[in-house]
């Protein structure tokens, strides 16, 4: 998995690409989120447009990341879920936990609301 970082309107967007699976992306995401939170970044957006598959370890890491950011008073939201990932979050009832967006502009605006 690869992670590209960019900042738009004070929101740190992580463009993820590749599978988020045990040993292949979960640790990378954990380290990235930890370093951003430690640097004081509180508004994080995960762009999942380039993620074709998430296994239970990847899903667990997303939940852990959400908890880490929330405990620091921040917000972690999701952008561009594929049908497969949206179904996975729906089945696991995590759609009720994460705020999700189809539009980057809407997602960024939601942080200032």
């Amino acid at each position: 998995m690869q992670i590209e970082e960019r900042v738009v309107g004070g929101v740190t967007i992580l463009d993820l690409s590749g599978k988020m699976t045990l040993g292949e992306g979960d640790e990378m995401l954990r380290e990235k989120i930890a370093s951003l939170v430690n640097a004081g970044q509180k508004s994080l957006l995960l762009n999942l447009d380039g993620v074709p598959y998430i296994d239970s370890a990847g899903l667990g890491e997303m939940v852990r990341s959400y908890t880490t950011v929330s405990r620091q008073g921040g917000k972690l939201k999701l952008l561009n879920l594929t049908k497969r990932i949206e179904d996975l979050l729906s089945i696991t009832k995590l759609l009720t936990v994460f705020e999700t967006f189809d539009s980057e502009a809407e997602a960024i605006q939601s942080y200032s609301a």
Side-chain angles (χ1 to χ4, degrees):
M1 188 174 85
Q2 292 182 315
I3 302 176
E4 297 289 324
E5 180 184 336
R6 56 196 170 95
V7 178
V8 179
V11 177
T12 302
I13 301 171
L14 299 178
D15 294 312
L16 309 179
S17 58
K19 293 179 179 177
M20 192 187 307
T21 56
L22 180 64
E24 196 175 324
D26 61 328
E27 293 146 7
M28 192 182 295
L29 181 63
R30 179 183 312 141
E31 290 166 8
K32 185 57 138 175
I33 296 287
S35 70
L36 289 169
V37 168
N38 290 338
Q41 292 290 341
K42 303 278 174 129
S43 301
L44 304 177
L45 183 62
L46 296 184
N47 181 0
L48 300 174
D49 198 28
V51 179
Y53 179 78
I54 298 178
D55 73 357
S56 59
L59 203 57
E61 195 48 55
M62 283 173 49
V63 172
R64 188 179 295 114
S65 296
Y66 178 87
T67 305
T68 300
V69 174
S70 297
R71 282 191 180 141
Q72 298 299 318
K75 292 201 161 99
L76 176 76
K77 302 181 184 186
L78 306 179
L79 175 66
N80 293 327
L81 275 63
T82 62
K83 174 84 172 97
R84 174 181 260 167
I85 293 172
E86 191 171 338
D87 288 347
L88 179 66
L89 291 177
S90 179
I91 290 166
T92 56
K93 303 279 191 257
L94 288 172
L95 271 182
T96 60
V97 174
F98 290 103
E99 265 189 85
T100 63
F101 297 89
D102 295 324
S103 154
E104 187 174 300
E106 278 179 33
I108 290 167
Q109 193 173 3
S110 77
Y111 286 91
S112 58

